[in-house]
Amino acid sequence: MTTTPRPHGTPPLTGLRVLDLATLFAGPLAATMLGDFGAEVVKVEHPTKPDPSRGHGPSKDGIGLWWKLLGRNKRTITLDLSRPGGRATLLQLAATADVLIENFRPGTLEKWDLGWPELSAANPRLVLARVTGFGQFGPYAHRPGFGTLAEAMSGFAAITGEPDAPPTLPPFGLADSIAGLATAYAVMTALAARDRTGEGQVVDMAIIEPILTVLGPQPTWYDQLGYVQQRTGNRSANNAPRGTYLTADGKWVAVSTSAQSIAERVMHLVGRPELIDEPWFATGADRAAHADVLDRAVGDWIAARPRTEVLAAFEKAEAAVAPIQDVRDVLADPQYQALDTVTTLDDPELGPLRMQNVLFRLSATPGAIRWAGRPHGADTEAVLTELGLTEAELTALREEGAV
């Protein structure tokens, strides 16, 4: 059984304290990324309405499996921020924290007298990351916002799918995940500024924005040329051959020829070197205009061979190919196994548990998964006792319904 390696040095974010007040999925993912590299993350959930990710997707023995991933490396406590005791306790926690991540609709924290003026008064060094669908201002700011809406609004869905088929949404949290990674980066940027100024600040992260960034130069193309990218399925307007191809044994592979030299190698491999001499073969865009010819050449060659033979031949020719893999293939893939991309840890509730490892490797101070997502409120008493609350104060919070 593969196990998560123990760090060789102190994790780089050791000593950083993060309060995760967010739910579903961008804000919590940002906190997970910070926790993976040593930050102490305290997940704050409502006493009776936990993070919906605990019940999102398949579960085992009543335990949500998505939460095991998203909640890893987090201590879990409960607080009702709308109650006086919950508000006061959060301000005490904020005074000890470096970062607070939330994704309530704009104005919700302010309604509870927990806005930036109150939080920064409790801790002038605090970084407050506010993750919402549309940002803190503008005509859409108070609308409910989800990643699906960002995938639609950003232009992603408009360019995804076949030309004669409807726009296509991803079957997973794409925009949320991109925003989560961007939020972790934004938090670290704000902390770097704090190192110079001694003061915290507010991070305003709108989920509709990071996905627009990763879509590339579409706004610039339109601004300068009036060009609007269209749906092209698996084809590219910038190079060919490029797409997915079916092998003789009914499996799929993906081929890319972004580099001219790779395109030429593929043509030699599939027995069509004469196409290299065509005037249109010299640029990616011109090759894309002749994708039908190139796809037939590549597709016919691949269709006559089983996938193992195709992959071996492409590797020998130093041409770019990859198998189309589902999760079963991913877990068995030798490259992923070598990288320990999906690692195994021992979970008190589920036993041996596989999940994606930390996002990147550091040679001297690597991150690690210390534990998977913990039960709702499992650390409330421990965290609040460490904060200095007495048993009488904890009892009062319980009686108030604040924890």
Side-chain angles (χ1 to χ4, degrees):
M1 182 178 72
T2 303
T3 57
T4 304
R6 296 184 65 83
H8 303 298
T10 302
L13 300 184
T14 298
L16 193 73
R17 192 174 215 204
V18 179
L19 303 180
D20 174 11
L21 276 62
T23 59
L24 285 181
F25 289 97
L29 179 59
T32 302
M33 296 297 102
L34 300 174
D36 283 352
F37 286 88
E40 179 198 358
V41 181
V42 177
K43 175 75 175 180
V44 181
E45 298 173 86
H46 191 278
T48 60
K49 293 177 284 188
D51 188 329
S53 67
R54 290 182 178 274
H56 212 79
S59 62
K60 180 181 179 182
D61 300 331
I63 300 167
L65 299 178
W66 202 327
W67 168 252
K68 286 294 179 182
L69 174 68
L70 193 64
R72 72 189 191 194
N73 293 336
K74 299 179 183 181
R75 304 173 79 189
T76 60
I77 73 169
T78 62
L79 279 181
D80 185 344
L81 305 182
S82 68
R83 298 181 183 273
R87 174 187 179 276
T89 304
L90 183 72
L91 287 175
Q92 287 179 268
L93 283 168
T96 71
D98 299 280
V99 179
L100 188 153
I101 301 174
E102 62 96 2
N103 70 338
F104 300 107
R105 285 199 212 180
T108 301
L109 283 184
E110 286 76 8
K111 178 180 66 177
W112 296 328
D113 292 326
L114 288 170
W116 178 238
E118 291 81 10
L119 290 170
S120 61
N123 182 358
R125 292 176 54 82
L126 184 70
V127 170
L128 171 62
R130 315 195 75 169
V131 186
T132 57
F134 305 105
Q136 294 295 310
F137 56 92
Y140 303 164
H142 290 275
R143 292 182 181 179
F146 298 98
T148 298
L149 308 187
E151 290 145 11
M153 287 181 59
S154 63
F156 171 84
I159 65 169
T160 303
E162 295 296 330
D164 56 351
T168 301
L169 295 167
F172 66 100
L174 176 63
D176 275 311
S177 298
I178 296 171
L181 298 176
T183 300
Y185 164 62
V187 164
M188 297 309 299
T189 302
L191 290 171
R194 189 187 70 174
D195 288 344
R196 295 195 308 273
T197 67
E199 296 181 355
Q201 60 183 300
V202 177
V203 171
D204 179 3
M205 178 62 67
I207 296 173
I208 60 172
E209 292 184 302
I211 188 170
L212 183 59
T213 296
V214 303
L215 284 173
Q218 290 188 47
T220 305
W221 284 340
Y222 180 75
D223 174 65
Q224 295 296 304
L225 302 172
Y227 172 71
V228 178
Q229 186 173 346
Q230 302 297 309
R231 289 189 294 284
T232 56
N234 289 324
R235 287 182 173 178
S236 168
N238 301 308
N239 65 81
R242 189 258 198 187
T244 58
Y245 305 90
L246 187 63
T247 63
D249 52 349
K251 298 179 180 180
W252 291 89
V253 297
V255 172
S256 175
T257 57
S258 296
Q260 181 71 20
S261 60
I262 298 292
E264 293 176 5
R265 290 173 197 163
V266 171
M267 290 302 103
H268 281 291
L269 173 64
V270 302
R272 297 297 303 275
E274 76 279 3
L275 293 176
I276 299 172
D277 297 326
E278 294 287 348
W280 48 261
F281 198 88
T283 70
D286 285 340
R287 291 200 312 274
H290 294 80
D292 286 343
V293 174
L294 297 172
D295 275 344
R296 278 195 300 272
V298 174
D300 290 349
W301 187 90
I302 289 175
R305 293 160 175 81
R307 187 162 74 175
T308 54
E309 182 180 333
V310 170
L311 296 175
F314 266 75
E315 183 174 358
K316 183 177 180 180
E318 298 184 355
V321 69
I324 303 294
Q325 301 191 145
D326 64 20
V327 67
R328 295 167 295 186
D329 303 313
V330 168
L331 293 177
D333 186 283
Q335 182 61 32
Y336 280 130
Q337 289 179 348
L339 296 173
D340 197 28
T341 305
V342 178
T343 196
T344 302
L345 60 151
D346 291 319
D347 180 70
E349 294 181 289
L350 297 175
L353 178 65
R354 286 194 286 184
M355 65 174 60
Q356 297 94 318
N357 210 335
V358 299
L359 191 60
F360 49 87
R361 286 164 290 281
L362 296 179
S363 62
T365 57
I369 305 172
R370 302 184 295 283
W371 61 82
R374 289 173 53 71
H376 181 228
D379 303 293
T380 301
E381 185 168 336
V383 170
L384 297 187
T385 298
E386 291 167 12
L387 190 62
L389 272 65
T390 65
E391 183 56 41
E393 290 171 317
L394 287 171
T395 299
L397 288 173
R398 294 188 195 100
E399 292 175 348
E400 185 190 4
V403 298

